[in-house]
Amino acid sequence: MSQPQSTVAHLRMDYATDGLRLSDLDPDPLKQFSLWLQEALNTVSIVEPHAMILSTAAQDGTPSARIVLLRGYDERGFVFFTNYESRKGQELAENPRAALTFYWGELHRQVRIRGLVGKISGEESDRYFASRPRESQIGAWASNQSQVINDRAELESRIKALQLKYEGQAVPRPEHWGGYRVWPEELEFWQGQPSRLHDRFCYTRQAENSWRVNRLSP
């Protein structure tokens, strides 16, 4: 039997950047993240600089990953919003740990974050929900995220019913929808380099919230 032929082997890019040195890094990984995120925001060709891969795992270790949007961050951690009854919500209830991955290909950069996850307060979720477009608020009620649905017509029917229900009034936040915060225990900053000899630095949280920084082999 003939072996399948690769169709992507020739799609190889060699990164050419100034590289990354320990002296380039801020001692505080949150400040370093802010610097890189701002550079991504200033790069016009990056369409969704806040997009990140959220990786979770069920209690039995089965992994799952999807792209969500970063909606805020500070010394307490990184915040995203979702349906608590979705697959990711169920997995976080069973195993409250997650990994986040940002990839800004135009800058040849990646940031990886691992840590504990918890729900943010109802007040914080209420404030963010109130800032969303009305159509998105209705959508949070209409979609039983990750559940089987017969067809799109069923979803659109729910949306119409909810539009009538909340006509002329504010749409409240569903109890099954809100925010999570990833409290980082580890952050890795990756800068692409030629010949796949990339620069990698990992911040690991220590006692009293100090950080140890190590260079990792590519």
Side-chain angles (χ1 to χ4, degrees):
M1 180 181 295
S2 61
Q3 294 296 316
Q5 302 231 346
S6 171
T7 59
V8 296
H10 64 289
L11 300 177
R12 177 177 290 274
M13 177 186 295
D14 209 9
Y15 303 115
T17 70
D18 292 335
L20 189 63
R21 296 167 293 276
L22 181 61
S23 59
D24 297 327
L25 299 171
D26 194 287
D28 184 335
L30 269 297
K31 292 181 180 178
Q32 183 62 41
F33 177 81
S34 294
L35 290 170
W36 275 23
L37 177 60
Q38 190 58 55
E39 290 188 38
L41 289 166
N42 293 340
T43 303
V44 177
S45 56
I46 300 179
V47 179
E48 287 278 18
H50 290 102
M52 58 187 184
I53 298 171
L54 167 67
S55 301
T56 56
Q59 198 168 32
D60 65 1
T62 303
S64 184
R66 76 291 288 161
I67 294 176
V68 299
L69 296 178
L70 176 69
R71 289 309 189 191
Y73 67 96
D74 56 26
E75 68 281 355
R76 297 172 297 168
F78 298 79
V79 175
F80 64 93
F81 292 84
T82 190
N83 186 314
Y84 292 144
E85 298 173 355
S86 64
R87 173 178 289 184
K88 59 180 124 17
Q90 293 174 13
E91 290 179 348
L92 289 172
E94 297 175 0
N95 180 12
R97 306 187 69 86
L100 306 173
T101 306
F102 294 86
Y103 180 65
W104 302 306
E106 292 83 348
L107 298 175
H108 307 159
R109 286 176 176 173
Q110 176 179 252
V111 178
R112 300 170 61 206
I113 300 164
R114 295 194 303 174
L116 299 170
V117 185
K119 292 180 180 178
I120 66 175
S121 70
E123 292 78 9
E124 290 176 282
S125 289
D126 286 342
R127 284 195 298 272
Y128 177 72
F129 188 82
S131 74
R132 303 184 86 206
R134 188 176 180 85
E135 295 80 4
S136 298
Q137 294 175 338
I138 293 289
W141 280 99
S143 175
N144 297 323
Q145 196 175 97
S146 303
Q147 302 302 311
V148 174
I149 189 171
N150 292 324
D151 51 33
R152 187 166 184 86
E154 180 181 339
L155 178 62
E156 292 174 350
S157 177
R158 291 180 194 165
I159 290 172
K160 289 179 181 178
L162 287 160
Q163 288 172 335
L164 289 173
K165 178 179 179 179
Y166 291 113
E167 187 174 6
Q169 58 180 298
V171 180
R173 177 178 66 88
E175 290 187 5
H176 62 258
W177 190 98
Y180 288 97
R181 179 176 285 109
V182 180
W183 187 75
E185 297 174 315
E186 183 179 284
L187 298 92
E188 180 190 319
F189 293 83
W190 178 100
Q191 178 73 66
Q193 286 287 277
S195 303
R196 297 298 185 261
L197 297 176
H198 311 304
D199 288 322
R200 299 171 61 192
F201 287 92
C202 183
Y203 292 74
T204 305
R205 191 183 291 274
Q206 303 297 294
E208 299 180 358
N209 291 325
S210 61
W211 295 91
R212 183 181 72 246
V213 186
N214 291 314
R215 178 184 276 273
L216 303 181
S217 180

